[in-house]
Amino acid sequence: MHDRPGDLTDLRGDCANCFGLCCVALPFTASADFAFDKDAGKPCPNLRGDHRCGIHAELRQKGFTGCTVYDCFGAGQRVSQVTFAGQDWRTASREHARLMAEVFPVVRQLHELLRYLTEALALPAARPIHADLRGALDDTERLARQTAQELAALDVGAHRQQVNVLLLKTSELVRAGTRGRKKDRRGADLMGARLEGADLRGANLRGACLIAADLTGADLRGADMIGADLRGADLTDADLTGAFFLTQPQVNAARGSAGTEVPRSVSRPAHWTPLR
């Protein structure tokens, strides 16, 4: 996997080759994102027998916005087709189904790291640490190839901490080459903040809470977006050219316009104002 720098093909969800694992393994709570409660390991009532969502075309209208902004980063198809060799949780033993639900969130975290590391290796500014990034990518891929039992016992949090050291170094190298004040808003509570036209070039927005923030016309070029919560954020006419560690779920959770510029690593969401 990932022989070409920046190739994220294998790190996107492929529902056709998954057994609806996100609809089974993950819990959710009745809220603005979900219409009702569901326990971990319990299939969603909307999940059909063919592992497809019965209300996929109406998720937002039916109160399941949370589903529309989720991506497993390709973990679903790996767990379904590789880790468990295509054995369906519906027809397997109860223990098999339990283990599959336990392993899926672990592999999802590993695939998220693979996604960040793959992007980091495509960033010219991070070239001084490319060897370390490649080593971390190979180690993470090796862990993701483990057996179900090994994955269930994996301390994925410890591995995330090791990889995060390299991602932080990547961020410093990339942002150093971006013009602007390079504001540090790491972990900042910016919920509902009025940031229209803000100069956030090269900003550190790692883990920042930008829920419902007004970023209309903001300049986010070269900003580190890893873990930033963009639910309901208004990105109308914002410029995210060169923003890095920005994932599809983050973009899907925000609002945008035809004038919003996004990096090539993500696609424009269908619910945004379409390009003319």
Side-chain angles (χ1 to χ4, degrees):
M1 296 176 68
H2 326 304
D3 292 328
R4 290 173 293 170
D7 182 11
L8 304 175
T9 304
D10 294 328
L11 299 172
R12 298 187 178 98
D14 179 5
C15 298
N17 286 300
C18 177
F19 297 139
L21 296 183
C22 63
C23 306
V24 179
L26 306 180
F28 51 72
T29 303
S31 61
D33 294 322
F34 298 100
F36 50 72
D37 296 337
K38 187 190 83 66
D39 295 331
K42 180 181 179 181
C44 175
N46 296 316
L47 186 64
R48 304 186 316 203
D50 62 357
H51 304 297
R52 299 299 182 93
C53 176
I55 60 169
H56 186 267
E58 303 175 286
L59 283 169
R60 288 181 178 273
Q61 298 91 315
K62 297 284 188 179
F64 289 90
T65 302
C67 296
T68 69
V69 301
Y70 178 82
D71 190 350
C72 70
F73 300 110
Q77 60 260 33
R78 182 193 283 269
V79 173
S80 297
Q81 304 301 332
V82 180
T83 311
F84 288 89
Q87 190 173 10
D88 188 343
W89 57 266
R90 290 183 187 274
T91 58
S93 67
R94 181 174 298 179
E95 175 59 22
H96 172 102
R98 183 199 63 76
L99 187 58
M100 184 175 277
E102 184 177 348
V103 164
F104 171 68
V106 175
V107 177
R108 199 265 186 187
Q109 290 191 63
L110 292 173
H111 268 236
E112 183 180 14
L113 293 177
L114 287 173
R115 191 252 184 251
Y116 292 139
L117 289 166
T118 300
E119 181 178 356
L121 280 164
L123 297 171
R127 189 169 291 114
I129 61 170
H130 272 192
D132 291 334
L133 289 168
R134 170 57 65 180
L137 182 78
D138 292 343
D139 287 343
T140 305
E141 176 63 32
R142 176 184 55 79
L143 291 174
R145 288 198 301 264
Q146 292 184 121
T147 66
Q149 290 73 18
E150 289 171 330
L151 285 164
L154 177 66
D155 185 352
V156 70
H159 183 65
R160 288 188 72 101
Q161 290 180 359
Q162 294 174 3
V163 172
N164 191 51
V165 172
L166 289 175
L167 298 180
L168 283 168
K169 290 181 179 178
T170 299
S171 178
E172 292 169 0
L173 289 168
V174 175
R175 292 186 298 107
T178 304
R179 293 181 180 179
R181 293 177 58 190
K182 304 178 186 63
K183 297 177 182 178
D184 187 356
R185 295 291 186 268
R186 183 178 182 181
D189 183 359
L190 298 171
M191 180 183 290
R194 299 185 61 181
L195 297 168
E196 311 99 299
D199 183 357
L200 295 169
R201 286 175 294 173
N204 182 354
L205 293 170
R206 296 170 65 90
C209 176
L210 289 160
I211 296 174
D214 185 356
L215 290 159
T216 302
D219 192 343
L220 292 151
R221 287 177 292 174
D224 181 348
M225 304 297 295
I226 196 168
D229 193 337
L230 295 173
R231 284 179 292 170
D234 190 349
L235 296 176
T236 298
D237 297 335
D239 190 350
L240 290 97
T241 305
F244 58 101
F245 298 150
L246 179 69
T247 65
Q248 196 63 49
Q250 288 172 292
V251 174
N252 290 349
R255 292 179 288 138
S257 67
T260 305
E261 299 288 342
V262 296
R264 290 183 295 177
S265 58
V266 297
S267 302
R268 299 180 64 83
H271 67 278
W272 282 17
T273 304
L275 293 169
R276 293 184 179 86

